[in-house]
Amino acid sequence: MDKVTAGDFRIIEEPQKPLAMEPRKFGMWLFMGSVLMLFAALTSAYIVREAEGNWVYFEMPGLFTISTVVILVSSITMQWAYWSAKKDNLENVKIMVTLTAVLGISFLVLQWQGWVQLVANKIYFVGNPSGSFLYVLTGVHGLHIISAIVFLLIVMVATYRYKVHSKSLVSIEMCTTYWHFLGGLWLYLFVFLLLYR
């Protein structure tokens, strides 16, 4: 057997660090995945039910277009808040988080007023499936927006207590991700409902 000297050993491959994610972020991504699957199932059911016939076609409330603009603007203000937190511009974080919360509540009010328009046009939750699906899709999304506003209010309180800054970004980063996700989800639903109304 050959003699092996210490100089004969060399590292073939550097050990790799295991993939790791902050547990709260991981939980949020799992939650968003399940929400995505829920809406994929609902929109698939919508398409299948529409193909069966007995479907009433109607105009989408004009307020849904305005609420779409509001949610897109709120995504900009939320991102601005996050960037400001990274730069320790804490006064700007307070303003942008507060503005995002106001825009989120405005979105919900506009959605509610859109439902009022639907009822005025005799499109009810009970009756034709086309109306039922519209109320379910927008209502379930609205519930998720409420959860995002609650999250945002928690971040807002932390912001006013100066607990959100460049060395403590997890909460505002998670809130920003969730807010963008719900904004993107509404954009998908809005386009979907315009194409399949």
Side-chain angles (χ1 to χ4, degrees):
M1 197 168 186
D2 291 337
K3 226 176 171 184
V4 180
T5 61
D8 291 336
F9 289 103
R10 62 176 190 262
I11 296 174
I12 309 267
E13 196 174 305
E14 289 288 327
Q16 293 181 349
K17 289 183 180 178
L19 293 175
M21 181 183 279
E22 212 273 347
R24 291 175 293 175
K25 287 184 186 177
F26 182 70
M28 186 189 69
W29 280 100
L30 283 178
F31 175 71
M32 289 191 307
S34 65
V35 170
L36 202 58
M37 289 170 58
L38 170 67
F39 279 96
L42 286 172
T43 52
S44 297
Y46 183 108
I47 292 168
V48 169
R49 181 58 190 85
E50 182 187 22
E52 290 179 7
N54 185 28
W55 194 263
V56 172
Y57 294 93
F58 55 86
E59 287 297 313
M60 286 256 291
L63 288 173
F64 282 5
T65 303
I66 298 169
S67 68
T68 302
V69 173
V70 167
I71 200 85
L72 291 175
V73 171
S74 75
S75 230
I76 294 167
T77 58
M78 189 70 231
Q79 187 64 42
W80 195 347
Y82 174 67
W83 286 335
S84 297
K86 283 179 81 171
K87 294 176 183 174
D88 282 326
N89 186 347
L90 303 183
E91 289 306 311
N92 204 39
V93 176
K94 289 179 190 175
I95 293 166
M96 289 300 118
V97 167
T98 304
L99 186 55
T100 304
V102 169
L103 289 168
I105 292 166
S106 301
F107 174 83
L108 289 174
V109 169
L110 287 164
Q111 293 284 289
W112 179 264
Q113 291 301 317
W115 281 7
V116 170
Q117 278 185 355
L118 287 169
V119 170
N121 292 332
K122 299 187 176 5
I123 306 297
Y124 304 109
F125 178 73
V126 177
N128 193 276
S130 60
S132 302
F133 268 106
L134 180 63
Y135 283 104
V136 168
L137 287 169
T138 56
V140 172
H141 181 266
L143 288 174
H144 287 91
I145 289 288
I146 290 170
S147 73
I149 290 172
V150 170
F151 189 8
L152 190 57
L153 292 175
I154 292 166
V155 170
M156 185 191 301
V157 169
T159 300
Y160 278 87
R161 291 180 177 169
Y162 298 99
K163 292 183 178 177
V164 174
H165 47 78
S166 62
K167 291 181 175 48
S168 179
L169 291 170
V170 174
S171 62
I172 197 166
E173 183 183 348
M174 287 174 60
C175 192
T176 303
T177 301
Y178 188 44
W179 198 265
H180 290 332
F181 169 72
L182 291 177
L185 183 58
W186 172 252
L187 200 57
Y188 161 72
L189 289 175
F190 182 69
V191 171
F192 175 85
L193 290 168
L194 282 177
L195 293 175
Y196 290 96
R197 59 184 164 185

